[in-house]
């Protein structure tokens, strides 16, 4: 494992740092009507400089760079207050799927506007009956001339309420085993018959939606991949999802240490309590383990290798730690723990936000249990799950 930049990486980091410093200052000075307007402006600025999608080819507006350059830019960008989440799903998962499976004209129409933040995409996979088991989805598409007619329901669709387009996985053939009767399409989310209903969260926000389809007509020309071969297309999206879903959320051992110094306890501050010190030591060791695991990934990227399954391990540990630290901090804040307002809560409500977001992080992009299955089967080589539904026709499976 190598903790240092190579001379080329150090030079790239300096260039990225310099670009960020002057451009973040100009971006802030411009002033923007709202968070979305600021996000679009920042995305356009990055796209113009080749920093929007560093690993994408230049012909598609990317930076033509390497994964390690992307990591370096991400590390430097994280030091500035320009973290906007609106484009992560589109650029991380949906548009790469479009790039892999759409025709040239479709790619030319959509890749640039998405990259520049002009259009936003959603991923319409999960349904009430199909989450971890994506192949269990029931939303149905039936062929009618040059169109397909779609009926059904999606759920947990992040950002659908502000998105323009989506990639949609549907069942086109219920007479074959579940993985063999799916097809993928791209669609305009303002098509007649699409109804987007925001879901209200405990944080007060509404980032997810239920999306209903009633006789929605999608031209066959909007199909991504072959009819009934949507599982292959979905796997490309899901592989990118594992890379795009991030880790922790800023509420780590250093932050709770700061809080513990300020909170009164029976004798002195919370930091002097043996039970708390024990927990803090555990979090610290975990964080160092995570940091070293991330360095292994970065070292592999730096050497031009593909990182191994350690990202699955990292996500389980980071999401659980975030939840544990958030809960412990809010409990330690006692009656003040209930105040989530960033203007009033300690550390601008960092821990309150961790309490509300960590449960979702443990589910999104692979639940703890699914990631443990992956580690058991692919890392430890343990026997796979017994799957009795693999060869049965989908229509014969229990609902
Ligand atoms: C923050 C967030 C954002 C999301 N954004 C999107 C989005 O934009 N688009 C989209 O399509 N979906 C999205 N989702 C949905 C997400 O993909 C699903 O919630 C996830 O796949 C889990 O599916 P489920 O909720 O149906 O739970 P289930 O799959 O029903 O699982 C329920 C429980 O059973 C466990 N379990 C299931 N199968 C197994 C097994 N084989 N072995 C052991 N345990 C098992 C699970 O781990 C879990 O604990 C989002 C979810 C979250 C939390």
């Amino acid at each position: 494992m190598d903790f240092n930049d190579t001379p080329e990486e150090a030079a790239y980091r300096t260039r990225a740092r310099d670009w960020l410093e002057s451009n973040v200052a100009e971006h802030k000075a411009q002033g923007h009507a709202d968070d979305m307007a600021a996000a679009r402006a920042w995305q356009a600025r990055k796209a113009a400089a080749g920093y929007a999608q560093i690993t994408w080819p230049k012909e598609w507006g990317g930076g033509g760079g390497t994964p390690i350059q992307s990591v370096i830019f991400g590390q430097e960008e994280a030091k500035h207050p320009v973290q906007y989440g609106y484009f992560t799903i589109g650029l991380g998962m949906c548009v790469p799927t479009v790039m892999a499976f759409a025709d040239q004209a479709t790619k030319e129409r959509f890749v640039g506007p998405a990259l520049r933040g002009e259009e936003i995409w959603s991923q319409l996979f999960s349904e009430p009956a199909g989450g971890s088991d994506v192949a269990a989805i029931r939303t149905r598409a039936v062929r009618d001339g040059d169109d397909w007619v779609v009926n059904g329901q999606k759920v947990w669709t992040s950002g659908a309420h502000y998105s323009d387009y989506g990639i949609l996985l549907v069942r086109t053939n219920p007479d074959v085993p579940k993985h063999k009767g799916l097809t993928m399409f791209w669609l305009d989310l303002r098509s007649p018959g699409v109804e987007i209903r925001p879901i209200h969260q405990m944080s007060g926000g509404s980032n997810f939606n239920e999306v209903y389809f009633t006789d929605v007509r999608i031209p066959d020309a909007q199909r991504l991949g072959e009819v009934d071969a949507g599982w292959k297309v979905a796997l490309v999206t899901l592989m990118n999802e594992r890379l795009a879903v991030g880790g922790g959320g800023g509420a780590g051992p250093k932050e709770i240490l700061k809080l513990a110094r300020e909170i009164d306890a029976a004798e002195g501050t919370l930091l002097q309590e043996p039970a708390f010190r024990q927990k803090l030591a555990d979090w610290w060791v975990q964080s160092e383990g995570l940091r070293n695991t991330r360095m292994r990934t970065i070292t592999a990227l730096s050497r031009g290798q593909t990182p191994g399954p350690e990202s699955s391990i990292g996500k389980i540990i980071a999401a659980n730690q975030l939840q544990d630290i958030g809960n412990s901090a809010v409990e330690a804040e006692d009656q003040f723990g209930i105040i989530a307002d960033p203007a009033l809560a300690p550390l601008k409500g960092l821990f309150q936000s961790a309490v509300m977001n960590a449960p979702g992080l443990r589910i999104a992009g692979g639940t703890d249990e699914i990631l443990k299955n992956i580690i058991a089967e692919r890392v430890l080589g343990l026997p796979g799950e017994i799957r009795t539904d693999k060869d049965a026709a989908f229509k014969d499976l229990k609902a």
Side-chain angles (χ1 to χ4, degrees):
M1 183 161 38
D2 190 351
F3 288 87
N4 300 311
D5 286 340
T6 63
E8 295 77 32
E9 287 163 10
Y12 185 84
R13 191 182 292 282
T14 305
R15 279 205 306 281
R17 201 177 276 163
D18 292 348
W19 184 88
L20 280 160
E21 258 160 38
S22 60
N23 280 273
V24 169
E26 277 179 42
H27 171 68
K28 289 277 148 197
Q30 266 176 1
H32 302 281
D34 52 33
D35 196 55
M36 174 65 89
R40 288 189 197 273
W42 180 242
Q43 187 65 22
R45 189 179 282 268
K46 283 202 294 182
Y51 286 128
Q53 288 295 103
I54 288 166
T55 55
W56 286 12
K58 284 194 172 157
E59 59 164 314
W60 291 112
T66 62
I68 188 73
Q69 289 177 340
S70 178
V71 169
I72 291 171
F73 185 84
Q75 288 172 337
E76 294 303 319
E77 190 184 23
K79 295 175 186 164
H80 297 276
V82 284
Q83 312 305 310
Y84 306 104
Y86 300 107
F87 314 111
T88 313
I89 290 176
L91 295 178
M93 299 166 228
C94 306
V95 179
T97 309
V98 170
M99 285 164 87
F101 292 95
D103 56 35
Q104 188 70 8
T106 306
K107 290 192 263 193
E108 280 170 9
R109 160 66 187 82
F110 288 112
V111 175
L115 192 86
R116 295 189 293 274
E118 292 157 14
E119 291 173 348
I120 304 182
W121 286 68
S122 284
Q123 179 193 358
L124 298 128
F125 281 20
S126 300
E127 297 185 6
S132 304
D133 184 7
V134 181
I137 62 166
R138 301 191 159 264
T139 294
R140 192 83 167 88
V142 177
R143 184 91 194 226
D144 181 21
D146 284 344
D147 290 347
W148 292 82
V149 179
V150 180
N151 281 286
Q153 184 207 340
K154 297 286 170 181
V155 72
W156 310 126
T157 320
S158 305
H161 54 307
Y162 53 68
S163 292
D164 305 284
Y165 298 96
I167 55 168
L168 173 71
L169 191 63
V170 291
R171 184 156 309 278
T172 39
N173 187 352
D175 298 324
V176 290
K178 61 181 182 177
H179 291 91
K180 296 191 175 152
L182 302 167
T183 305
M184 186 83 86
F185 293 91
W186 67 264
L187 87 158
D188 184 337
L189 284 173
R190 295 182 190 95
S191 305
V194 177
E195 190 196 341
I196 298 167
R197 292 190 203 161
I199 299 172
H200 299 288
Q201 296 159 240
M202 66 173 168
S203 61
S206 290
N207 297 326
F208 313 110
N209 304 271
E210 294 177 308
V211 183
Y212 291 84
F213 296 87
T214 310
D215 293 333
V216 176
R217 297 193 81 86
I218 302 182
D220 185 57
Q222 293 183 201
R223 180 161 41 81
L224 297 170
E226 300 300 316
V227 174
D228 294 346
W231 183 245
K232 201 173 109 188
V233 185
L235 283 182
V236 170
T237 318
L238 294 172
M239 259 167 48
N240 283 314
E241 177 163 3
R242 298 267 141 81
L243 298 176
V245 171
K254 280 194 192 127
E255 288 72 25
I256 199 167
L257 173 63
K258 197 166 165 206
L259 182 80
R261 288 202 170 104
E262 290 167 8
I263 289 188
D264 292 334
E267 290 177 28
T269 66
L270 180 62
L271 188 56
Q272 283 151 311
E273 292 226 322
F276 179 81
R277 292 173 76 89
Q278 184 63 49
K279 277 211 249 179
L280 186 64
D282 287 344
W283 290 323
W284 213 275
V285 170
Q286 258 177 7
S287 284
E288 283 303 291
L290 273 178
R291 193 170 70 85
N292 283 297
T293 307
R294 268 196 289 271
M295 282 311 298
R296 268 169 56 201
T297 308
I298 294 172
T299 305
L301 288 174
S302 173
R303 293 179 183 153
Q305 299 159 352
T306 309
E310 58 269 5
S311 53
S312 299
I313 301 172
K315 203 213 129 194
I316 295 181
I317 306 288
N320 278 277
Q321 189 191 66
L322 183 71
Q323 191 167 28
D324 194 18
I325 289 184
N327 289 344
S328 301
V330 165
E331 201 176 312
E333 287 173 12
D334 207 5
Q335 72 268 37
F336 301 107
I338 204 164
I339 304 170
D341 184 343
L344 301 172
L347 273 81
K348 297 185 178 156
L350 184 69
F351 300 110
Q352 284 75 2
S353 146
V355 167
M356 290 186 275
N357 293 324
L361 194 61
R362 289 185 58 191
I363 297 170
T367 62
D368 284 14
E369 291 84 358
I370 296 297
L371 293 176
K372 282 181 188 167
N373 281 352
I374 291 173
I375 293 165
E377 292 174 24
R378 307 216 190 123
V379 183
L380 303 176
L382 298 176
E385 255 187 290
I386 297 166
R387 290 163 55 205
T388 50
D389 58 359
K390 202 169 161 225
D391 299 317
F394 181 76
K395 65 174 189 289
D396 298 332
L397 300 179
K398 276 195 196 149

